[in-house]
Amino acid sequence: MAPVISKIAIIGAGVSGIAAAKQLAHHNPVVFEASDTIGGVWSHCSYSSTKLQSPRCDYEFSDFPWPDRDSASFPSHLEILDYLHSYAEHFDVLKCVRFNSKVVGLRLIDGRLPGEYSSLLPGQPVWEVAVQTNGSETIQRSEPEGKACTMVVRTLHWTVPHYWVWGLPFFLFYSTRSSQFLHERPNQSFLRSLLCSLFSPMRLVVSKFIESYLLHKLPLEKYGLKPDHPFVEDYASCQMAIMPENFFSEADKGKIVFKRSSKWWFWEKGIEFDDKEKIEADVVVLATGYDGKKKLKAIMPEPFRSLLEYPSGLMPLYRGTIHPLIPNMGFVGYVESVVNLHSSELRSIWLARLVDDKFKLPGVTEMLERTLMEMEVMKRTTRFYKRHCISTYSINHSDEICEEMGWTSWRKKSWFSEAFSPYGSRDYLN
């Protein structure tokens, strides 16, 4: 098969992939998608009951609103797929996608010496992408019904039943500009550090306030599911989740049984735990979460593979998008935030403007220092810092990205609307 020459190659046609393809469309990118459809995990890793965990109005591209935008419902994965397909068709992204094309390896074609990976994107170096095109991936789904399900819990995390706490909307606590003053952020000024220190008791009060509601609303203590750590630590590590509908009512009926255990292994009829208890199981679902770094490490050559994982477990990415020591490569969708679609879209815009030489990056040393600052903030904020999560300072993080691109605020707002609007809403103009 003859090689394909393209300035931009995008791996994966999930939410981040199609967002990047749309922003980089003027470079005629090639999107390699291993399956036969777009949508990523929404297409391949969803049960029939899977729904969006944030309101649809908060999960939309900035230039492509949902139909019936005012609805506050939580769309099903099929509705989300319809929305993503409509977005891709509207912006003619599908023409860039090569389906059933699985990337199996990368190779850098470069004449420079190791350690000279400071330049990004112009000219050389280039990446050679090895693609397997002999079939699509098949995802097997298992949805056992009827029998009781034993849920093995290794680490307890806080879950919320909805986005209201004692009658107040959840975004007031973490997703407004005023709430950002409660949380540390990287590269903050002395005054900002002082304010953050002074407001630290309020941060604990907010966390306890939310915990009190969850303990009142959900039978966490009854089932031994009350975490020992503060709620804010789960939010700061993007571990917070929405409780599925009828979850505890099914537990009350005996259809869901909880088992706390740090270790388990298989035996011939099911699962055995470290306390020697055994249970018989027809189906075992390994709900281990998504680890995109494993896929990256599988295709990245050395010495770059070793650069993907800092000793803390995080991947050090400047602006959550590029590794300062890996040339001509961006990682869109790796960093988690309040709403990942927004993060992916903003980083795609940032990356496209970087490719078009609309702004300049700082030096490698400064970029590395900034990424290390983010890691240190996460370490101090939560014990679960191995996830690259910017939820407690996502508004400030987005502002810094916009300012780096040369965007400025064009619509004046009152202090109240600016401080208390959900998700710190602000309009930017090129």
Side-chain angles (χ1 to χ4, degrees), residues 182-303:
L182 301 180
H183 306 281
E184 183 182 3
R185 67 170 179 174
N187 199 36
Q188 61 187 13
S189 65
F190 173 77
L191 178 59
R192 176 64 186 257
S193 298
L194 181 60
L195 287 173
C196 186
S197 178
L198 291 174
F199 289 152
S200 59
M202 181 60 69
R203 184 166 62 244
L204 182 60
V205 168
V206 169
S207 186
K208 291 297 183 183
F209 182 74
I210 296 174
E211 291 167 32
S212 69
Y213 177 77
L214 299 179
L215 293 174
H216 167 75
K217 189 71 175 179
L218 304 174
L220 301 179
E221 293 179 308
K222 172 183 176 181
Y223 289 108
L225 299 178
K226 177 183 176 295
D228 295 326
H229 57 269
F231 173 85
V232 67
E233 290 197 40
D234 277 340
Y235 187 84
S237 59
C238 293
Q239 296 279 4
M240 186 199 78
I242 295 291
M243 182 67 63
E245 293 181 7
N246 304 318
F247 182 77
F248 281 114
S249 63
E250 294 299 304
D252 291 338
K253 299 173 185 177
K255 292 185 178 180
I256 301 176
V257 179
F258 303 101
K259 172 65 180 180
R260 292 287 310 280
S261 180
S262 59
K263 296 181 180 179
W264 61 270
W265 49 89
F266 287 105
W267 67 294
E268 59 184 5
K269 293 185 179 180
I271 301 295
E272 181 178 354
F273 303 100
D274 49 6
D275 61 1
K276 305 303 181 184
E277 180 184 352
K278 295 182 178 180
I279 62 170
E280 296 186 5
D282 298 323
V283 176
V284 177
V285 179
L286 302 178
T288 56
Y290 178 75
D291 187 357
K293 191 161 50 182
K294 284 187 176 180
K295 289 187 175 182
L296 290 174
K297 292 173 74 173
I299 62 175
M300 287 288 286
E302 290 291 1

